[in-house]
Amino acid sequence: MHVRDTPPDAEVVALVLAGDTEAFGVVIRRYEAGLLRFATRMLGSRDAAADAVAESFVRAYRHLASCREPARLRTWLYRIVTNRCKSHLVRRSVADVSLDDAPPMADPADTEAALERADQLLLVERALVDLSPDKREAFVLKHVEGLSYEEMAAVTGERIPTLKMRVHRAREALLKVLEDHA
Amino acid sequence: MNVIDPRIHQALDGELAPEAIPVELRRAVAQIAAAADLLAAPPPPADRRRASSHA
């Protein structure tokens, strides 16, 4: 069954709550990639991100009945992953965020353009890690995950003006790094 | 703090069309958009990242 061919989120949630546990696989297939990308950007490590997302899906499955707006399942899932990421970050200092410890290794098959892109990505990743977790979260939700400020407010529980301010400060910090390395 | 022209934020928030801001500000808008695109792309396989730290 293709994810695109499946029913909307509210119907999938209803199926799971009615006992069709297989239907939760649709939720995972539909949102895992985006949640993993978000968690990776938040935590700077794909291993930690995979753990956070796996824990979040378990939590989501167990507490699916408490999802009050199943049509907004995506926002609810991002909120769970956000909380898991914050828990992970509390357990270690931001200084320990690793970016998986090393830059991408050059592959002989890589073109010059690809290498330049990898360098630029590393620069952006490092700038992102240097942001406070709140600003990093706001920037990634807005610009990488493409959430609206309203959706971000639902995910984070913060007010829209607060989120806008965080996104603005994150952009300013990022632009400074990019300009310094231009 | 490195405060930038508020029109850059407005453009990035979709409140202003990119063409509506001065040309000299569009570079900053493009830089943020490009950074977001890089971050949104699937990361390379983990073994390529880790390999260089053991070289």
Side-chain angles (χ1 to χ4, degrees):
Chain A
M1 182 165 61
H2 290 287
V3 174
R4 283 180 188 168
D5 297 337
T6 58
D9 286 344
E11 286 181 39
V12 176
V13 169
L15 284 171
V16 177
L17 293 176
D20 182 358
T21 54
E22 297 284 316
F24 196 74
V26 174
V27 175
I28 294 174
R29 289 195 295 277
R30 193 171 281 173
Y31 293 113
E32 186 177 30
L35 293 171
L36 195 55
R37 178 181 55 210
F38 169 67
T40 300
R41 296 311 176 203
M42 281 302 295
L43 299 173
S45 157
R46 262 160 294 130
D47 288 343
D51 288 346
V53 171
E55 291 163 11
S56 297
F57 276 128
V58 170
R59 187 170 181 79
Y61 180 75
R62 285 182 182 159
H63 298 275
L64 195 59
S66 68
C67 177
R68 283 178 285 184
E69 294 183 89
R72 295 185 180 182
L73 179 67
R74 178 181 182 233
T75 303
W76 188 69
L77 291 171
Y78 271 95
R79 186 159 68 231
I80 294 172
V81 173
T82 294
N83 289 334
R84 296 311 306 165
C85 288
K86 284 177 178 171
S87 297
H88 276 257
L89 289 171
V90 164
R91 290 202 291 270
R92 59 184 180 153
S93 71
V94 172
D96 291 336
V97 173
S98 67
L99 294 179
D100 286 331
D101 300 322
M105 187 178 72
D107 185 300
D110 283 344
T111 63
E112 193 174 329
L115 290 173
E116 195 174 315
R117 186 178 166 84
D119 284 346
Q120 194 70 8
L121 174 60
L122 188 63
L123 181 66
V124 173
E125 284 180 331
R126 292 205 184 285
L128 200 65
V129 164
D130 283 341
L131 296 173
S132 69
D134 285 346
K135 293 189 186 81
R136 186 159 68 239
E137 172 190 77
F139 184 87
V140 174
L141 287 174
K142 175 68 182 167
H143 284 297
V144 182
E145 301 309 316
L147 270 61
S148 67
Y149 282 112
E150 288 76 14
E151 290 172 318
M152 290 167 64
V155 168
T156 61
E158 298 288 355
R159 295 169 60 246
I160 289 175
T162 302
L163 292 167
K164 278 194 172 182
M165 187 57 68
R166 287 176 186 172
V167 170
H168 289 192
R169 294 291 93 84
R171 287 171 184 160
E172 287 156 5
L174 202 53
L175 277 174
K176 183 171 189 322
V177 170
L178 294 171
E179 290 294 340
D180 287 349
H181 288 80
Chain B
M1 190 167 52
N2 180 40
V3 176
I4 60 178
D5 192 303
R7 288 173 292 182
I8 294 171
H9 293 306
Q10 288 178 296
L12 287 165
D13 284 336
E15 297 163 1
L16 272 181
E19 316 82 68
I21 65 172
V23 173
E24 64 270 21
L25 300 182
R26 290 181 200 170
R27 182 165 180 265
V29 174
Q31 280 180 307
I32 291 291
D37 285 346
L38 282 172
L39 292 170
D47 55 346
R48 282 188 61 203
R49 277 179 175 259
R50 293 211 171 104
S52 63
S53 65
H54 300 299

